[in-house]
Amino acid sequence: MSGETDFMPTCPLPLQQYPQVLLAHGGGGRLMHQLIDAFAATFASAELNRRHDGATLRIGRERLAFTTDAFVVQPLFFPGGDIGRLAVCGTVNDLAMCGARPLYLSVSFILEEGLPMETLGRVVQSLQATAREASVQIVTGDTKVVDRGKGDGIFISMAGLGLIEHSQPIGPEAVRPGDVVLLSGDIGRHGIAIMAVREGLSFETTIESDCAPLTTPVLKLLKAGVELHCLRDLTRGGLAAALIEIAQASGLTIELDETAIPIRPEVQSACELLGLDPLYVANEGRFVAIVPEAEAARALAVLQTEPVSAGACLVGRVIQNGPVGFVTLRTSLGTTRVLDLFSGEQLPRIC
Amino acid sequence: MSGETDFMPTCPLPLQQYPQVLLAHGGGGRLMHQLIDAFAATFASAELNRRHDGATLRIGRERLAFTTDAFVVQPLFFPGGDIGRLAVCGTVNDLAMCGARPLYLSVSFILEEGLPMETLGRVVQSLQATAREASVQIVTGDTKVVDRGKGDGIFISMAGLGLIEHSQPIGPEAVRPGDVVLLSGDIGRHGIAIMAVREGLSFETTIESDCAPLTTPVLKLLKAGVELHCLRDLTRGGLAAALIEIAQASGLTIELDETAIPIRPEVQSACELLGLDPLYVANEGRFVAIVPEAEAARALAVLQTEPVSAGACLVGRVIQNGPVGFVTLRTSLGTTRVLDLFSGEQLPRIC
């Protein structure tokens, strides 16, 4: 009964333009943002309206972060990770980006009838191993099985809960002109690792996904008292999409220095071969921290003590008088290029 | 990498018996319990080990309930509800059964490419309408799209957070001999409503799902100070599975009186026609409360003031000297029947 009547007059979904859901609606680009904006308008929640994967909530006397993600990656296992490791990292990283200490996870499986039990077992073991690595506990779950041909092996949805133990307001609204953009390491490995397996490509060295929990460097930055204006992990849509979202939400301009952005030579070559722009390729163990310029050296020093962010470096800055809500790239040739959101992901089912 | 090595020696999954995942592994019966026990052994979490859909957690200074469920029901729309309403009710009810006040929900969509946007819009509207009805907010979400033929329209995973504002220990471990079993209303309507649509059956009157949020009656019981030993909503596996789980977890016997269990005549007829046992048919808006006998009259009076539990009645009692961990049924013929878990659900994809 519910939802059957009076729907059309108030439906904010992009019905006219897109009568059907496209792969690009899940791709981290413009179409996905359009859909999320429609959801946010419907759910009418201030927390959901922000382009951020986690919500910050006050419950009783505590401030918590709460997040969810679905994982539909293909193949289930890839160099550097698998769907289980990806689920835990993705969820924990969303919590860390809220400046929260990740504590508890829930896991919901949608399994396809006929899935080898051995495959499920490997994924479950990987979930647990990664949860232990990230110091979180999987405390509740659910399992559904769908008929053969109505799923694709394993889909995982994970939700996470974390405790916020500081009073810094971290988010695009805290970003100021003059801030600098720190990147925690080289980009593009997750997307290329998946693409290589999927397309049966082999390079001289196997490119492994960067998939990893980012809790420790973030908690260390907080513990060191570094003033953090914004944190964002780089997932679907890559470095470009993450920074465009922040620029749009803050109404400022972010200027990137292409020569400062670390990209491994084998990733660069693979991108050239495949016609991909590494700035838009997905990562699962990288983040940006936007901090006041005066905090940059201290923040980098903290990040560089942790293996997962040992390659941290300064890649750009926030400026006042640029085009509002844009990210510009000063290229190695000295020219300037405006980065725009793609309509979808360069490759589907990356996470 | 993770989960790739050293897996087999410690894998607790039922590999030998069941080399592949079967529909019954998601069906609320014996096979699902076997799988969940294996997950719990792997995740090594005390909270997950309990046969209950929600975990009770202490975070900072607060006690919270945290739960997740996946929804894969077919068809997406059915008399009395739809997948969106089902998701909110299922999640909110799990929290209520922990004795928590449901506050926040997350929603994770796995959409199949080609899904009509209008269908998604109706589901999103229903999610929001039901969230409003249940006084909860949807605060965070995620959307993934899978290729055509790799999903089935819409799958939803939802997680929920609630605040526990009392100090009663509610759960199977609090159940005592002499307690009575209160049932909040007639059973079997959700399962039969789905089955009727799926099989194209029509009865004299349309049987509507009982799908509804159960928060209000539970919070009213708590507010009235009724001593609650155990609460459980009746979902997959029906009244029988819920009580068998409680009997097993408490190590006691539950004796049901068949003549006291309300079943509408049209549901009874449909069950006879379809060869289903209504005690095992899924519900989505019914629960049992196990309370001391001395509290029964007061608890029933509270329940009967709420429309969703107006038909509440006493259907059984907990006894000491029966077969440990069993549920027995005194039938209308005066005989006694032992209720056992089925290996799976009588019908798949009911929620």
Side-chain angles (χ1 to χ4, degrees):
Chain A
M1 293 291 127
S2 81
E4 295 264 346
T5 55
D6 284 341
F7 163 65
M8 298 302 289
T10 56
C11 173
L13 293 192
L15 286 175
Q16 276 71 43
Q17 291 158 273
Y18 301 101
Q20 294 194 327
V21 171
L22 310 178
L23 277 173
H25 280 115
R30 215 160 34 225
L31 293 198
M32 193 179 80
H33 287 158
Q34 203 177 48
L35 198 59
I36 291 174
D37 287 345
F39 291 162
T42 307
F43 298 145
S45 158
E47 286 85 356
L48 193 72
N49 234 331
R50 293 170 53 199
R51 274 207 186 131
H52 192 301
D53 278 340
T56 303
L57 308 168
R58 180 165 289 285
I59 300 191
R61 292 158 290 179
E62 300 295 348
R63 273 178 75 217
L64 301 177
F66 182 34
T67 188
T68 194
D69 270 312
F71 298 88
V72 299
V73 68
Q74 270 297 331
L76 297 174
F77 301 88
F78 47 83
D82 57 74
I83 191 171
R85 180 167 175 81
L86 199 60
V88 173
C89 293
T91 309
V92 158
N93 292 348
D94 284 348
L95 296 172
M97 296 306 126
C98 297
R101 177 186 300 278
L103 293 174
Y104 298 110
L105 303 179
S106 69
V107 59
S108 147
F109 294 104
I110 297 175
L111 307 177
E112 186 188 5
E113 183 188 12
L115 173 77
M117 195 62 84
E118 195 263 343
T119 305
L120 177 60
R122 285 166 66 193
V123 170
V124 167
Q125 296 284 109
S126 174
L127 279 166
Q128 173 58 9
T130 316
R132 197 178 301 123
E133 178 184 340
S135 302
V136 291
Q137 281 186 67
I138 298 170
V139 292
T140 187
D142 186 50
T143 307
K144 293 290 189 310
V145 182
V146 295
D147 0 358
R148 214 179 280 261
K150 299 292 184 180
D152 198 11
I154 303 182
F155 298 145
I156 294 178
S157 285
M158 189 158 251
L161 263 185
L163 184 60
I164 300 176
E165 297 163 305
H166 59 85
S167 57
Q168 291 202 43
I170 298 173
E173 60 287 352
V175 174
R176 297 284 170 269
D179 284 353
V180 293
V181 180
L182 310 181
L183 171 63
S184 70
D186 68 294
I187 60 169
R189 278 193 284 129
H190 177 70
I192 297 299
I194 298 281
M195 188 69 163
V197 186
R198 211 139 69 184
E199 306 297 319
L201 302 177
S202 63
F203 305 106
E204 271 177 44
T205 49
T206 300
I207 297 174
E208 293 202 342
S209 167
D210 55 291
C211 180
L214 296 169
T215 321
T216 312
V218 171
L219 292 180
K220 280 199 166 178
L221 286 171
L222 285 165
K223 197 176 170 202
V226 172
E227 188 180 332
L228 297 172
H229 286 176
C230 192
L231 298 169
R232 193 63 57 101
D233 56 336
L234 312 180
T235 56
R236 285 180 279 183
L239 176 65
L243 291 179
I244 292 167
E245 287 173 24
I246 296 171
Q248 288 179 348
S250 66
L252 295 165
T253 306
I254 295 174
E255 210 175 65
L256 284 178
D257 177 2
E258 186 175 34
T259 59
I261 299 169
I263 303 172
R264 294 197 185 174
E266 63 268 30
V267 170
Q268 187 71 57
S269 312
C271 281
E272 280 161 18
L273 186 71
L274 297 165
L276 300 174
D277 182 340
L279 296 176
Y280 290 87
V281 172
N283 311 270
E284 291 290 340
R286 291 290 175 249
F287 71 109
V288 290
I290 301 187
V291 303
E293 188 165 14
E295 293 281 56
R298 204 157 64 96
L300 286 174
V302 170
L303 291 174
Q304 286 159 1
T305 60
E306 279 301 309
V308 76
S309 52
C313 55
L314 196 158
V315 297
R317 51 191 67 242
V318 180
I319 60 170
Q320 182 132 43
N321 297 320
V324 170
F326 279 84
V327 176
T328 61
L329 183 76
R330 271 181 296 120
T331 69
S332 51
L333 305 171
T335 59
T336 295
R337 180 184 144 203
V338 171
L339 301 184
D340 197 4
L341 279 184
F342 287 176
S343 62
E345 173 58 75
Q346 296 181 108
L347 42 158
R349 298 189 58 186
I350 200 77
C351 60
Chain B
M1 295 288 128
S2 80
E4 295 264 346
T5 54
D6 284 341
F7 163 66
M8 297 303 288
T10 57
C11 173
L13 293 192
L15 286 176
Q16 276 70 43
Q17 290 158 275
Y18 301 101
Q20 294 194 329
V21 171
L22 310 178
L23 277 174
H25 280 115
R30 214 160 36 224
L31 292 198
M32 193 179 80
H33 286 160
Q34 202 178 50
L35 198 59
I36 291 175
D37 286 345
F39 291 162
T42 307
F43 297 145
S45 157
E47 287 85 356
L48 193 72
N49 234 331
R50 293 170 53 199
R51 275 208 185 130
H52 191 301
D53 279 340
T56 303
L57 308 169
R58 180 165 291 285
I59 300 190
R61 292 158 290 179
E62 300 296 348
R63 273 178 74 217
L64 300 177
F66 182 34
T67 189
T68 194
D69 270 312
F71 298 89
V72 300
V73 67
Q74 270 299 331
L76 297 174
F77 301 89
F78 48 83
D82 57 75
I83 190 171
R85 180 168 176 80
L86 199 62
V88 173
C89 293
T91 310
V92 158
N93 291 347
D94 283 349
L95 295 172
M97 296 305 126
C98 297
R101 177 186 300 278
L103 294 174
Y104 297 110
L105 303 179
S106 69
V107 59
S108 147
F109 294 104
I110 297 174
L111 307 176
E112 185 187 6
E113 183 189 10
L115 173 77
M117 195 62 83
E118 194 264 342
T119 305
L120 178 60
R122 285 167 66 193
V123 169
V124 167
Q125 294 284 109
S126 173
L127 280 166
Q128 174 57 10
T130 316
R132 197 179 300 122
E133 177 184 341
S135 302
V136 291
Q137 280 186 68
I138 298 170
V139 291
T140 188
D142 187 49
T143 307
K144 293 291 189 309
V145 182
V146 295
D147 1 358
R148 215 179 278 261
K150 299 292 185 180
D152 197 10
I154 304 182
F155 298 145
I156 295 178
S157 285
M158 189 157 253
L161 262 185
L163 184 60
I164 300 175
E165 298 164 303
H166 59 85
S167 57
Q168 292 201 42
I170 298 174
E173 59 288 351
V175 173
R176 297 285 171 267
D179 284 354
V180 294
V181 180
L182 310 181
L183 171 62
S184 71
D186 69 294
I187 60 169
R189 277 193 285 129
H190 178 70
I192 297 299
I194 298 280
M195 187 70 163
V197 185
R198 210 137 72 185
E199 306 296 320
L201 302 177
S202 63
F203 306 107
E204 270 177 46
T205 48
T206 300
I207 297 173
E208 294 202 342
S209 167
D210 55 292
C211 181
L214 296 169
T215 321
T216 311
V218 171
L219 292 180
K220 280 200 165 179
L221 287 172
L222 285 165
K223 197 175 170 204
V226 172
E227 187 179 333
L228 298 172
H229 287 177
C230 191
L231 298 168
R232 192 64 57 101
D233 56 335
L234 313 182
T235 57
R236 284 179 281 182
L239 176 65
L243 291 179
I244 292 166
E245 286 173 26
I246 296 171
Q248 287 178 349
S250 66
L252 294 165
T253 306
I254 295 174
E255 210 175 65
L256 283 178
D257 176 3
E258 187 175 32
T259 60
I261 299 168
I263 303 172
R264 295 197 185 173
E266 62 268 31
V267 171
Q268 187 71 56
S269 311
C271 281
E272 280 161 20
L273 186 72
L274 298 164
L276 300 174
D277 182 341
L279 296 177
Y280 290 86
V281 173
N283 310 270
E284 290 290 340
R286 291 290 175 248
F287 70 108
V288 289
I290 301 188
V291 302
E293 188 166 14
E295 293 280 57
R298 204 156 65 97
L300 286 174
V302 170
L303 292 174
Q304 286 159 2
T305 59
E306 279 300 310
V308 75
S309 52
C313 54
L314 195 158
V315 297
R317 50 190 68 241
V318 179
I319 59 170
Q320 183 134 41
N321 297 320
V324 170
F326 278 84
V327 176
T328 61
L329 182 76
R330 271 181 296 120
T331 69
S332 52
L333 304 171
T335 59
T336 296
R337 179 184 144 204
V338 172
L339 301 184
D340 197 4
L341 279 184
F342 287 175
S343 61
E345 174 57 76
Q346 296 181 109
L347 42 158
R349 298 188 59 184
I350 200 75
C351 61

